[in-house]
Amino acid sequence: MSFSGIFATIKTVESPQIYVTFQWLLVAYLSIYLPKLFYYLGYQITHSAIRVKSKFSSDGKIKKMNDGRYPTISRKKFLSQVGIFMASAPFISLMFGVMKGRFAFSKRYTKLSFPNLPEAFDGLKIVQISDLHLGSLNANYKEMEEAVRLINDEHPDLVCFTGDLVNNFYEETIGWEKVFSKLQARMGKFSILGNHDYGDYSKWPSQQDKTDNLNNIKGAHMRLGFNLLNNQSQVLESNGDKIVITGVENWGHPPFPQYGDLKKASKGVEDIPFKLLLSHDPDHWDAEVKKDYDYDLTLAGHTHGMQFGIEFKNFQWSPAKYKFRRWAGLYNEGNQYLYVNRGLGYLGMPARVGMPPEITIIELTRGPLGTEPM
Ligand SMILES: [Fe+2]
């Protein structure tokens, strides 16, 4: 089947195994064609550069740079070697991303301070994870146990999982309770649904089958130890102080479904002084949250940082930036913050290159509004 044929199939998958088959076919396809493409580009670009240089040299030939100490090399051989060098970079990156990158968990720390954070919650430590896509992880339990260990080492007060537990099917969750039930958080573990958790990427024999799948996925959140917030709020109380954690169902631009009902979810908690929101799709923040609501901090996921990019100090680049306005890290407008987690699992490509799986640690303090590195 052609690449586009495979891609069309994944939109209407009939079993969890299709995702696993697809992802390894994609690796095979890219390991053959990506080096070929880069070899061609390297060869052609260098060939053109030599032609331009020849045109401007005094005698119409390439200036001889070799002073005789090194063996001479033909133009064709030189171009081939440039091509091979160019082709090896994406191949090595891809192989590294498959073998190491997809499980090279990265902790990212942020400290945020809010004047309205009640005293009893000063120092609250939140760990956020997102986009597990259990079906893609297949049976890599041991690797994910390491992620759970890294989270528990932080001794979080809250663990927030911002959706996409599965690719499409509840069967993907079977066996994972033994891993995620080990997550520990003093004040609770909360979760929401993502666009992949509704079974919308498959044709179902009947509506009842689809509903059963969704109900089983909701049950799996509980089985794995999460308190699923489905357009609901949960007030947390400590020493008489209160904050609220609200979770909405997926709210996304078409073709992603819009099940999220923030109005319903926020009902009755308007007067709580500090509000935390979980919403899978970061576009929701611009479209509704920051305009019409006063959530101090919103946690989102969904973008995966496209599992590929370059991040160095203040420089950030990923193809995700051309698709999503807010695609990774911390954003601020007025007195509201949004954090977009880059995802812990993967989808489509079983690799992460320059965009490691993320465990976000956010510490909240009481003080003038602002952020500082931890
Ligand atoms: Fe996702």
Side-chain angles (χ1 to χ4, degrees):
M1 191 184 288
S2 70
F3 179 76
S4 56
I6 296 166
F7 197 74
T9 305
I10 205 159
K11 291 283 180 192
T12 53
V13 282
E14 284 163 11
S15 81
Q17 202 51 38
I18 293 278
Y19 281 97
V20 179
T21 309
F22 170 81
Q23 66 188 24
W24 292 112
L25 280 173
L26 189 57
V27 169
Y29 185 92
L30 288 177
S31 18
I32 295 166
Y33 288 101
L34 213 57
K36 279 190 177 186
L37 172 70
F38 275 76
Y39 177 89
Y40 177 79
L41 288 175
Y43 191 102
Q44 291 302 328
I45 290 167
T46 314
H47 189 245
S48 304
I50 289 174
R51 280 166 67 121
V52 170
K53 189 174 167 56
S54 303
K55 207 173 170 185
F56 289 101
S57 64
S58 55
D59 56 358
K61 290 176 186 169
I62 310 169
K63 213 180 233 176
K64 202 171 179 182
M65 301 295 287
N66 195 347
D67 60 4
R69 283 183 295 164
Y70 307 106
T72 51
I73 181 170
S74 72
R75 177 183 295 199
K76 201 175 170 193
K77 199 171 175 189
F78 172 69
L79 289 171
S80 285
Q81 288 185 355
V82 170
I84 288 166
F85 178 77
M86 290 278 287
S88 63
F91 182 76
I92 291 167
S93 302
L94 177 64
M95 288 301 113
F96 184 81
V98 172
M99 289 188 285
K100 284 267 178 208
R102 65 186 164 133
F103 296 123
F105 305 111
S106 164
K107 286 186 180 181
R108 293 182 188 258
Y109 294 87
T110 301
K111 202 170 188 175
L112 292 172
S113 96
F114 297 90
N116 53 319
L117 184 73
E119 222 170 288
F121 292 90
D122 190 7
L124 187 85
K125 195 185 252 190
I126 303 168
V127 167
Q128 183 200 3
I129 53 172
S130 197
D131 298 83
L132 289 172
H133 292 277
L134 295 179
S136 302
L137 295 173
N138 210 3
N140 287 293
Y141 302 120
K142 233 176 95 188
E143 286 76 3
M144 295 314 282
E145 269 168 9
E146 172 63 8
V148 168
R149 191 188 64 76
L150 289 169
I151 293 167
N152 287 342
D153 281 353
E154 293 295 326
H155 304 291
D157 296 304
L158 292 176
V159 169
C160 298
F161 165 52
T162 45
D164 276 2
L165 180 66
V166 295
N167 293 333
N168 205 53
F169 302 97
Y170 98 90
E171 287 89 343
E172 299 169 41
T173 69
I174 294 168
W176 284 101
E177 52 282 323
K178 66 185 176 196
V179 177
F180 289 99
S181 60
K182 288 180 189 153
L183 276 174
Q184 290 166 0
R186 196 174 60 86
M187 301 186 83
K189 300 177 277 181
F190 296 91
S191 67
I192 51 170
L193 297 176
N195 55 297
H196 276 269
D197 296 326
Y198 293 87
D200 283 338
Y201 299 96
S202 184
K203 282 183 184 148
W204 295 90
S206 70
Q207 184 56 39
Q208 189 56 48
D209 287 307
K210 190 177 177 187
T211 306
D212 290 346
N213 183 64
L214 175 60
N215 287 335
N216 286 329
I217 287 169
K218 287 178 184 172
H221 278 253
M222 307 295 182
R223 219 178 64 235
L224 268 60
F226 293 106
N227 183 354
L228 179 67
L229 296 172
N230 239 10
N231 295 330
Q232 289 166 300
S233 287
Q234 170 90 48
V235 175
L236 305 175
E237 219 172 323
S238 176
N239 287 341
D241 284 340
K242 288 177 185 174
I243 64 168
V244 65
I245 175 165
T246 299
V248 282
E249 292 199 52
N250 187 61
W251 188 105
H253 290 301
F256 298 113
Q258 292 194 352
Y259 302 108
D261 188 341
L262 191 50
K263 196 174 171 193
K264 180 182 165 199
S266 308
K267 210 168 174 198
V269 295
E270 295 85 355
D271 296 334
I272 305 285
F274 185 87
K275 299 186 179 80
L276 173 65
L277 174 67
L278 312 183
S279 182
H280 180 67
D281 192 321
D283 281 350
H284 188 204
W285 195 64
D286 285 300
E288 191 179 34
V289 180
K290 72 168 200 227
K291 282 197 301 191
D292 305 326
Y293 294 85
D294 59 349
Y295 282 93
D296 299 279
L297 173 63
T298 300
L299 304 180
H302 183 58
T303 72
H304 297 206
M306 285 206 173
Q307 297 165 215
F308 172 68
I310 302 163
E311 293 190 275
F312 183 70
K313 290 192 174 170
N314 292 328
F315 176 79
Q316 269 192 322
W317 180 88
S318 160
K321 71 183 287 180
Y322 306 111
K323 192 170 181 214
F324 304 99
R325 185 171 175 206
R326 325 268 184 184
W327 60 276
L330 188 67
Y331 300 88
N332 165 236
E333 272 188 37
N335 53 5
Q336 291 179 288
Y337 282 92
L338 165 73
Y339 192 92
V340 184
N341 176 290
R342 296 156 181 83
L344 198 63
Y346 46 85
L347 176 68
M349 190 71 196
R352 279 182 174 266
V353 179
M355 194 61 61
E358 174 172 354
I359 295 166
T360 312
I361 298 109
I362 300 175
E363 189 184 328
L364 303 184
T365 57
R366 184 179 160 86
L369 188 78
T371 177
E372 53 182 281
M374 277 172 77

